[in-house]
Amino acid sequence: MNHIPKSHPRAKSLYIREKLVDAFDAGLVAKEGLMAHGRGEAFDYLIGEKTSKSAKKAILAAAFMLKNAQNPVISVNGNMAGLCPKEIILLAKAAGAKIEVNLFYATNSRRQKIYSALKKNGAGKIYGMDKKNSTKLSGLDSARRIVDRDGIYSADVVVVPLEDGDRTLALKKAGKKVITFDLNPMSRTAETADITIVDNVVRAINHLIKSCKNPRQVKFDNKKNLALAIKEIKTNLTKRASHA
Ligand code: ATP
């Protein structure tokens, strides 16, 4: 529990951290998820803990892609379920997307806890729960290759927040369009996805829900947009350095 005032610039980040730690204690988040969060926090500092211009552009492009997809699916891991369970459901509704639980460090207990958290927040059908309906993505060697036949396996567009590079690459090889939220604009996932939203998922998901309700086409190039995200970090750092 932290005791800094709500108005402090770091208060929101510390609140997000507490939410993740609570989700870890409740068995939703893996140990590795805590480390991935720490890496994200470092990049959140660098982007100034706000939704940047490049992120806003990626969000518009993502909303348009989702609304024009035939079978969009949102892949949910422990960190996502811990940080924004309500918003996942709102996004699924706004985008007309399915929800699938898909875990890197999979255990039945964690899967069930994530399922319950999503249900408690109003989710309808959740894919990835029925072993009989599972199949495998090629090019992956862990539990992550197991996907739902009627979910990710048959999706044309997959939202994979806070994902690792191998899985993103496997999804691309399987012919999927990939949208990701990743605070690190230099990660393999960021570079492999079709649309990378370089922002904290906790902030960006609300913008994406809003944009799905009023989608519009924008000219978008992920590589150029990532370069812009890196430039934004550089500008932030230069500003900070000039105050030193
Ligand atoms: P890659 O394999 O893609 O190079 P990685 O090895 O860092 O990346 P993971 O360990 O799965 O992959 O890390 C997940 C990613 O999620 C990290 O890049 C981290 O910055 C990002 N991340 C963590 N928390 C958040 C968050 N709340 N919002 C957005 N991104 C986040």
Side-chain angles (χ1 to χ4, degrees), residues 36 39-40 162-165 182-184 187-189 199-201:
R39 192 153 50 251
L162 289 49
E163 191 50 82
D164 90 309
D182 194 330
L183 277 158
N184 177 3
S187 75
R188 288 178 307 150
T189 295
D199 194 12
N200 198 314
V201 68

Side-chain angles (χ1 to χ4, degrees), residues 56-218:
K56 284 180 185 160
K57 188 151 190 203
I59 287 166
L60 288 180
F64 191 78
M65 184 181 274
L66 277 169
K67 292 298 281 187
N68 285 283
Q70 298 297 311
N71 191 12
V73 176
I74 304 165
S75 179
V76 177
N77 62 16
N79 285 41
M80 268 302 276
L83 290 176
C84 32
K86 269 197 199 92
E87 291 80 2
I88 292 166
I89 290 132
L90 294 175
L91 178 61
K93 281 187 184 147
K98 294 174 180 168
I99 295 172
E100 175 166 339
V101 177
N102 196 283
L103 306 178
F104 194 137
Y105 302 98
T107 65
N108 272 341
S109 147
R110 224 153 64 71
R111 193 185 301 281
Q112 279 304 327
K113 283 176 176 152
I114 292 168
Y115 175 86
S116 303
L118 293 172
K119 279 287 176 193
K120 214 168 83 189
N121 281 282
K125 177 154 176 67
I126 299 173
Y127 292 80
M129 299 304 298
D130 182 2
K131 269 198 184 144
K132 292 198 289 296
N133 214 37
S134 67
T135 183
K136 286 172 185 164
L137 279 180
S138 57
L140 280 173
D141 55 5
S142 71
R144 293 170 299 158
R145 69 191 291 198
I146 298 167
V147 290
D148 195 306
R149 211 177 281 284
D150 299 319
I152 290 174
Y153 190 74
S154 49
D156 53 346
V157 175
V158 190
V159 183
V160 281
L162 289 49
E163 191 50 82
D164 90 309
D166 292 344
R167 186 140 180 282
T168 312
L169 206 61
L171 288 167
K172 283 301 299 168
K173 279 192 186 148
K176 318 289 178 197
K177 291 271 184 211
V178 174
I179 297 170
T180 190
F181 295 88
D182 194 330
L183 277 158
N184 177 3
M186 288 164 281
S187 75
R188 288 178 307 150
T189 295
E191 288 176 347
T192 310
D194 295 277
I195 300 177
T196 304
I197 301 166
V198 180
D199 194 12
N200 198 314
V201 68
V202 174
R203 285 188 301 269
I205 197 166
N206 288 310
H207 291 288
L208 184 56
I209 294 164
K210 219 163 151 192
S211 296
C212 280
K213 292 176 184 163
N214 188 18
R216 61 185 172 95
Q217 195 162 16
V218 286

